[in-house]
């Protein structure tokens, strides 16, 4: 063994010495002051741009309240901003297509989280515990031949 350990505090000191300092990650910001993130959910894809502003969210050229009428979807979209504590500091512009409204809201949420991490890399630890950077892999199962749907069989009749 390299060193003898006398107490628990000395183990802690060993771990502190072993940890190498991490280099700061540079933000990816374009010439317009924006960062980009792609979000996906089911068959929906969202392209999201984040920049400094007043907290306005625009989806496909419409205000978030006009595009996503259900309050639950608007709450879901604002989760990354609340985790980063940037609700009134960032403007978000996104285009989304495919799937339905719930899938689109999930894609926008994923895209916002990824764009915020590109904009401010030090916010990544705030996003990770809530799984905002993880793509939800669930999708509709395909229909199989000889079946009515993906798993549903045709009704059985003895005669």
């Amino acid at each position: 063994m390299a060193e003898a350990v006398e107490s628990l505090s000395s183990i802690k000191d060993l771990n502190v010495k072993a940890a190498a300092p991490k280099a700061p990650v540079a933000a990816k910001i374009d010439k317009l002051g924006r960062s980009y993130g792609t979000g996906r959910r089911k068959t929906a894809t969202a392209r999201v741009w984040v920049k400094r502003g007043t907290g306005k969210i625009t989806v496909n050229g419409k205000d978030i309240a006009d595009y996503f009428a259900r309050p639950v979807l608007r709450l879901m979209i604002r989760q990354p901003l609340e985790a980063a504590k940037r609700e009134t500091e960032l403007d978000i512009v996104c285009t989304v297509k495919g799937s339905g409204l719930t899938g689109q809201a999930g894609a926008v949420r994923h895209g916002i989280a990824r764009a915020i991490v590109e904009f401010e890399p030090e916010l990544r630890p705030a996003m990770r515990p809530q799984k905002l950077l993880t793509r939800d892999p669930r999708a509709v199962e395909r229909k199989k031949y000889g079946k009515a749907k993906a798993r549903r069989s045709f009704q059985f009749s003895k005669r």
Side-chain angles (χ1 to χ4, degrees), residues 2-73:
E3 294 179 36
V5 179
E6 289 93 33
S7 67
L8 291 176
S9 62
S10 61
I11 292 174
K12 181 181 167 191
D13 294 336
L14 284 174
N15 288 338
V16 171
K17 290 176 192 172
K22 292 183 180 179
V25 180
K28 294 180 184 173
I29 299 173
D30 66 4
K31 61 186 175 194
L32 299 174
R34 307 175 303 180
S35 282
Y36 173 78
T38 303
R40 292 186 183 91
R41 170 80 172 95
K42 294 186 177 182
T43 58
T45 303
R47 301 181 310 159
V48 180
W49 290 270
V50 173
K51 64 178 182 177
R52 293 268 175 232
T54 58
K56 185 177 181 190
I57 302 174
T58 309
V59 181
N60 289 351
K62 296 181 181 180
D63 187 55
I64 187 174
D66 296 334
Y67 196 84
F68 293 108
R70 289 189 289 186
V72 173
L73 299 179

Side-chain angles (χ1 to χ4, degrees), residues 4 10 24 26 40 43 45 52-53 57-58 66 93 95 102 111 121-122 134 147 151-152 156:
S10 61
R40 292 186 183 91
T43 58
T45 303
R52 293 268 175 232
I57 302 174
T58 309
D66 296 334
V93 177
T95 58
T102 304
E122 62 273 5
T134 305
K147 298 281 187 176
R151 297 185 181 197
R152 169 102 166 88
F156 175 76

Side-chain angles (χ1 to χ4, degrees), residues 72-130:
V72 173
L73 299 179
R74 292 195 300 263
L75 282 172
M76 194 166 101
I77 289 170
R78 288 197 174 96
Q79 281 180 336
L81 294 168
E82 291 167 2
K85 295 181 177 61
R86 302 281 190 274
E87 295 96 336
T88 59
E89 298 174 25
L90 299 174
D91 281 349
I92 295 164
V93 177
C94 62
T95 58
V96 63
K97 55 180 144 183
S99 196
L101 284 179
T102 304
Q104 288 184 352
V108 170
R109 180 179 87 160
H110 186 225
I112 289 172
R114 290 175 75 172
I116 288 174
V117 168
E118 292 290 321
F119 196 72
E120 296 181 56
E122 62 273 5
L123 292 175
R124 187 177 184 85
M127 302 284 185
R128 279 285 352 136
Q130 296 180 25

